[in-house]
Structures are given as structure tokens and as C-alpha cells.
Amino acid sequence: MKFGKRLKQQIQETLPGWGDKFLSYKELKKLVKLISSYAPQMMSGSLEYGKAEAEFVYLLNNEIDKFNAFFMEQEEDFIIRHKELQQRIGRVIDTCGPNGSQPSETDCKEELAKIRKDIVDFHGEMVLLINYSNINYTGLAKILKKYDKRTGGLLRSPYIQKVLQQPFFTTDLISKLVKECESTIDSVFPPPCDVERGLVLGSGVAGEGIFRITVAALLTMQEIRKGSSTYGRFSLPPLNLPDQSDVIQSQSLQLNSPIAIP
């Protein structure tokens, strides 16, 4: 699948409010085509060529500002939500555990169900943000490659070096929160036995809401990395996230819990 179609598909399938935060790839592609159409009449280093390249870089910088603002806003929100989830889990353990006030089993199970849903949604949204970073970086690298190829410019290499220092490209913290979220799921909601898991996976969980979008995002990240047979300096780093089967397991757990409920 060509990148433009893949990006369009991602925008159509993403979360509400995210669609206009992605790279304006189609508009940038049109500008590259326009510049390249009169590039032969412009000498590299000429005033006209400099103006055309400056306009292209200006638009790229606006895109990066858009990525950074959105990414940092989401990252801040995720940090707050992660802390709140940990506090909620702690309260449930204190209340429903052996040394707690031990309310009714129904109350404990209802609260665990709410926490489980929130953790699953939170995990999915963080995976989607990492995908957001990946696909926008890939789009920038591709449009810069088109620009250099069609105009004879040498913009790609120095500009990518700038991109690598941008907040939206730095996903270490979000990846760390994803791993912590998975550890929480494993400790608070241990996976059911194979028979139970088969029943859960057959109940139509896959394809619903954020779960379906998350799996689609993971597929996109894998496809992006398989797009080239060689690993180069413009390539994304190896994917260090759960594969589809891990996501299916983490987002399809029964409400078994090590918390002793009376």
C-alpha cells in the first residue's frame, strides 16, 4: 500500500479529534510537484529557487509545530491518567483486599471492571500515540525524499536531523508507560486459562472501538518498518511494542484478580 493511502486510512480510523493532527501529506506533495515543474528553469542557489525552498520548509516547520503541540498535550494527559489509575488500583486493593473494609463482592467486581476498561483504553491510546509519531515521521522522510529527487535539492538529510530532536519523535516516556500498563494488567488481571481465553476471543471483542483501531495501528507500524529491505539512517528504530496477539490478550482479559474478594 502506498504511503498516501495508508495515511488516509489511519486518519479515517483514528480517535475523534485526532484526524487533523496528522501530516498534510497531500498538500505537501502538491507543492513538491509545483516546485519541481519549474525547477529546471531555476538554478540551484538562485533567488527563485531559494524562495521556493523557503516556502516548502516553512510549511514543514508548521507541520512539526502541530505534531509537537498535540504530542506533548497527549503525553501530559497520559502521565496524569497513569497516576490516577495507579491510585484507583491502590484504593481497590486497600478496600477489597484481606486487610480492607471488605465491601460486597458485587461492588468490588464492578469497580475492577471499570478499572480494567480504563486500563485497556489507556493502553490503546498510548499505542496510537506512538503510531502517530511513527507515521508522521515516515511521512516527513518520504516527502523530503520526493523533494530532493524531483528538485535536485539536498534538504532531506539536514532536515531529518532536526526532526530527530523534536518532542513528537521522542516516544521513550510513552513506551515506558505502555510497558508499565502491561505489567499492571498482568499483575491485577492475570490471563484466563486457554479455554476461557478462547471463549473471550470468540465473543466479538476484536473489532470493537479502540481495540480495533489499536490493532490497525500496530499493523501500520509493522508495515512501515517492512517497507524497505534495508535499514538506513532515515529508518525508524525497531518496534519495541506488543504484537497483535499480545494486544488481543491484554484487551480481552476476564475479571479474575489476585485481590482477595470476600
Side-chain angles (χ1 to χ4, degrees), residues 23-34:
L23 179 70
S24 302
Y25 186 75
K26 188 175 181 180
E27 288 72 19
L28 288 168
K29 192 176 177 181
K30 286 180 180 178
L31 181 58
V32 169
K33 185 177 181 180
L34 178 63

Side-chain angles (χ1 to χ4, degrees), residues 25-253:
Y25 186 75
K26 188 175 181 180
E27 288 72 19
L28 288 168
K29 192 176 177 181
K30 286 180 180 178
L31 181 58
V32 169
K33 185 177 181 180
L34 178 63
I35 294 173
S36 65
S37 68
Y38 52 76
Q41 287 77 45
M42 297 187 300
M43 294 293 293
S44 180
S46 69
L47 181 61
E48 292 81 6
Y49 185 91
K51 286 182 177 179
E53 185 168 281
E55 180 183 0
F56 181 67
V57 171
Y58 175 78
L59 292 177
L60 288 179
N61 289 341
N62 284 343
E63 292 295 289
I64 286 180
D65 289 343
K66 176 176 69 177
F67 301 157
N68 286 338
F70 178 71
F71 186 90
M72 289 189 292
E73 179 183 4
Q74 294 299 312
E75 187 176 60
E76 182 178 354
D77 178 62
F78 289 161
I79 292 170
I80 295 171
R81 287 170 62 187
H82 177 262
K83 183 176 181 180
E84 290 174 345
L85 280 169
Q86 295 302 315
Q87 290 173 343
R88 286 174 63 190
I89 291 169
R91 287 196 294 269
V92 170
I93 293 174
D94 290 342
T95 302
C96 299
N99 299 320
S101 57
Q102 298 185 351
S104 71
E105 180 179 354
T106 300
D107 290 343
C108 286
K109 285 188 174 181
E110 286 180 356
E111 181 60 23
L112 283 170
K114 292 177 183 178
I115 291 174
R116 171 194 171 278
K117 180 183 181 301
D118 290 344
I119 291 176
V120 168
D121 288 349
F122 181 51
H123 179 273
E125 288 178 43
M126 289 191 292
V127 171
L128 292 177
L129 188 63
I130 294 174
N131 176 63
Y132 172 85
S133 171
N134 285 188
I135 202 165
N136 284 310
Y137 168 81
T138 301
L140 287 171
K142 286 185 176 293
I143 203 68
L144 285 163
K145 182 179 180 180
K146 285 182 183 294
Y147 179 87
D148 283 3
K149 182 178 180 180
R150 295 188 179 185
T151 67
L154 298 172
L155 186 59
R156 185 188 188 197
S157 183
Y159 199 87
I160 285 295
Q161 295 306 311
K162 172 185 175 179
V163 172
L164 297 179
Q165 306 303 315
Q166 299 302 310
F168 88 89
F169 184 77
T170 308
T171 60
D172 293 350
L173 175 58
I174 300 299
S175 297
K176 179 174 179 288
L177 291 179
V178 168
K179 295 299 181 184
E180 290 181 7
C181 189
E182 291 165 2
S183 296
T184 299
I185 291 173
D186 289 341
S187 61
V188 179
F189 305 101
C193 68
D194 292 340
V195 174
E196 289 176 319
R197 185 179 296 117
L199 291 173
V200 174
L201 295 182
S203 64
V205 174
E208 293 182 5
I210 195 170
F211 175 82
R212 175 182 56 79
I213 302 173
T214 304
V215 172
L218 285 168
L219 279 172
T220 296
M221 286 188 274
Q222 292 167 352
E223 288 171 3
I224 285 173
R225 285 162 172 77
K226 292 177 181 177
S228 174
S229 59
T230 57
Y231 184 85
R233 57 196 175 117
F234 300 118
S235 302
L236 285 163
L239 187 61
N240 186 27
L241 283 172
D243 61 25
Q244 297 174 65
S245 61
D246 291 334
V247 173
I248 288 172
Q249 177 176 322
S250 67
Q251 300 206 11
S252 305
L253 299 178

